[in-house]
Amino acid sequence: MGLILTFIILGLTIVLFVSGKLRADLVALMSMLTLLVTGILEPLEALSGFSNSTVVMLAGLFIVSGGVLRTGLAHRGGELLARYSKNSETRLFILLIVVVAIVGSFISNTGTVALLLPIVISLSARMDLSASKYLIPLAFSANLSGLMTLVSTPTNLIVSQPLSDHGYGKLGFFTVTPLGIIAFIAGSIYLLLVRNTL
């Protein structure tokens, strides 16, 4: 019975996530509380995720991203991109990829896209360019920048903990950086070559 109930709760959670009618954090908490009330999870099991250092780190990354938006740093970044691109589509594309690499190395890839999305849309409109030529490469570049440092994507943080638990030692902050630089350069060259087909 517990297994069937778990699948029902999971299914309802997925439906609520996809529908977008409720905030994602509220849906997650409701799901956890439902599992707790129905007795599927013990209180200690339900709250164990909040003591995980990975969860705390991810929460901190979202706070930093929100701070960058609220302080106007994102708007200032858009102005700088417009100024240095000098109405050149190729120069804007390269500058955008470089900015994504820098920002994406220290903020999660989701936060990077959220931060640069309004900038890219406003720049595209200002320069009378197709936004899709920049939004799709922005998403791919942000994913590639996830290989730059330990904190650049939640996946790196999540993988680091089990490695430590099994005796391999945690990933260092720059352990994946050499691989990340190679992947980012190769991916950026590809995006630059195919950008007009997007």
Side-chain angles (χ1 to χ4, degrees):
M1 183 64 184
L3 185 62
I4 294 169
L5 193 55
T6 303
F7 276 116
I8 291 169
I9 294 168
L10 180 62
L12 289 172
T13 303
I14 291 169
V15 169
L16 287 171
F17 273 135
V18 172
S19 70
K21 291 182 179 178
L22 293 172
R23 287 183 5 215
D25 56 341
L26 189 60
V27 172
L29 284 173
M30 285 170 47
S31 178
M32 181 193 73
L33 286 173
T34 307
L35 290 168
L36 186 60
V37 169
T38 55
I40 294 170
L41 289 180
E42 296 294 322
L44 193 61
E45 293 172 323
L47 299 173
S48 64
F50 293 107
S51 65
N52 190 316
S53 59
T54 303
V55 174
V56 175
M57 179 71 82
L58 291 176
L61 290 174
F62 281 109
I63 291 168
V64 169
S65 299
V68 169
L69 283 170
R70 287 177 181 264
T71 57
L73 191 59
H75 180 70
R76 180 77 178 130
E79 290 177 349
L80 285 171
L81 274 175
R83 185 187 311 159
Y84 288 112
S85 66
K86 298 178 181 175
N87 290 327
S88 166
E89 191 177 338
T90 304
R91 190 176 293 174
L92 175 62
F93 191 89
I94 293 169
L95 279 172
L96 180 64
I97 287 178
V98 169
V99 169
V100 168
I102 294 167
V103 174
S105 296
F106 302 100
I107 306 179
S108 72
N109 46 12
T110 308
T112 303
V113 173
L115 177 69
L116 294 173
L117 189 65
I119 296 172
V120 171
I121 291 172
S122 66
L123 277 174
S124 299
R126 187 187 307 176
M127 296 176 68
D128 196 28
L129 299 169
S130 170
S132 67
K133 284 187 179 180
Y134 297 96
L135 293 177
I136 295 171
L138 169 64
F140 283 115
S141 298
N143 280 329
L144 288 169
S145 72
L147 292 170
M148 292 296 191
T149 62
L150 178 65
V151 297
S152 57
T153 183
T155 312
N156 293 349
L157 289 166
I158 291 167
V159 167
S160 180
Q161 190 63 45
L163 282 174
S164 176
D165 293 344
H166 290 85
Y168 293 101
K170 286 189 173 183
L171 291 174
F173 194 81
F174 295 108
T175 301
V176 295
T177 304
L179 177 63
I181 291 171
I182 293 166
F184 194 86
I185 290 171
S188 298
I189 291 169
Y190 174 76
L191 289 171
L192 190 61
L193 294 174
V194 303
R195 73 184 190 281
N196 291 323
T197 64
L198 299 173

